Amino acid sequence: MELRAPKGTVDMLPDAARAWERLSKTAHALFARYGYEPIYTPLFEHTELFARGIGEATDIVTKEMYTFADRSGRSLTLRPEGTAGVVRAAIEHSLVPQGSVAKFYYAGPMFRYERPQKGRMRQFWQIGVELLGAAEPSADAEVIALLVRYFESLGLPRERRRLLVNSMGDEACRPAYRDSVAAYIRAHEDGLCEECRRRADANPLRAFDCKNESCQAVMAGAPRISDALCDECRAHYEAVKRRLDALGVAYEEEPRLVRGLDYYTRTVFEVQAEGLGAQNAIGGGGRYDGLFATLGGPPTPGLGFALGFERTLLALRAAGVEPGAAEGVAAYVAAVDESARDAVFGLAMALRDAGVAAELDHRGRSLKAQLKHADKLGARVAVIVGPDELASGEATVRDMLTKDERRVALVDVPARVAALIG
Ligand code: AMP
């Protein structure tokens, strides 16, 4: 047996796990202020949900899904993204009655069979929001601004990230645009990789996303969606940008931004960060006004974003920000000898009950070894109990910074420690 995590997965060890908790906590607090509620959908769904929702011709559906038959032979797929499941739940439980707006956020793992590299995993973690029921451009501006505010609140400096926006049109103007890109691809096949040539039929817009340099050079000359938008899509896009301008949210228009899922309509956006190499998209999203109907639900507009935990962490660390810093223990309770062990155990528990992060030694180590351990853990206070202290019903409370020591009645220890750690 190979005793290793499967390729493309990692164990979230404490440094990363603390960072994940910090990122999700920050998200929950911020998103709640914007009226988003938590929702957690299953990690696997019926395969056809993703095939239909994400699109049969997308990279995700054609080659990246973890699909398996369960014991009854039903085809299930580990979720490669969060939107399809949330929209399925919204339809199933009628969460968005006609005319109403519902807002949800989620956080958890996603699964894609991709070639692993820096910032690209097979199991990765996302945090995302979905705003359902509003077709108006102010909803787009709110969602985009929320993503930007989130990276701001994590401390990712503005100069290390870029926000790209585009409109992909809708069912009125996109089909003709797709055809014109397909025709362009056929006319320029010589300079394109085999995959892009194949894309002409099924999914021509994906050629904009090819990492191959010669493909990028060819696609730079392709027709631009900005020249092909219908009047409604153009007006919507202008209104979104006006609101972003009013909010002071800096963005760049990127007419080649298409994103990899079929369900997007109109507004799409992506945040890219410095210091990540090829996988520099840390978050992105867009509007998907056709998705409810595609999945068999009542026509309901919607949009959302998802951000990747691993890449966000890489971007933060590249900027010198460490979101997974350990908090350390506040108090270390040490026994001078065996006679004080019970008292020390009781004190440590009393401190924890009083809300103080406290640690003690279970192994019967010497006082010197215990105090060394206290230093290593960064304890602010040491509480020491020996035969003398036991005789008078007290403990010695030592401020580890100033080395100031004071005898305190056992019952007063939690209050004294709380006062010292402020
Ligand atoms: P997407 O669902 O493809 O729009 O991706 C949204 C975000 O999830 C991206 O901006 C990345 O930060 C992250 N992401 C997507 N795929 C992966 C992956 N294979 N490994 C790590 N992060 C990913």
Side-chain angles (χ1 to χ4, degrees), residues 200-267:
D201 296 321
N203 203 353
L205 302 190
R206 293 295 299 155
F208 284 113
D209 250 5
C210 185
K211 300 278 185 228
N212 191 315
E213 273 180 26
S214 92
C215 294
Q216 285 184 358
V218 171
M219 293 310 290
R224 297 186 159 213
I225 182 76
S226 41
D227 298 324
L229 292 179
C230 61
D231 290 347
E232 285 77 13
C233 284
R234 188 179 307 282
H236 184 96
Y237 188 39
E238 293 303 322
V240 173
K241 288 188 289 177
R242 242 188 350 264
R243 285 196 164 75
L244 292 177
D245 290 336
L247 287 173
V249 171
Y251 60 86
E252 296 164 46
E253 290 185 68
E254 174 45 90
R256 285 180 294 272
L257 178 67
V258 292
R259 304 198 35 84
L261 302 86
D262 269 3
Y263 53 57
Y264 288 120
T265 50
R266 295 193 166 166
T267 314

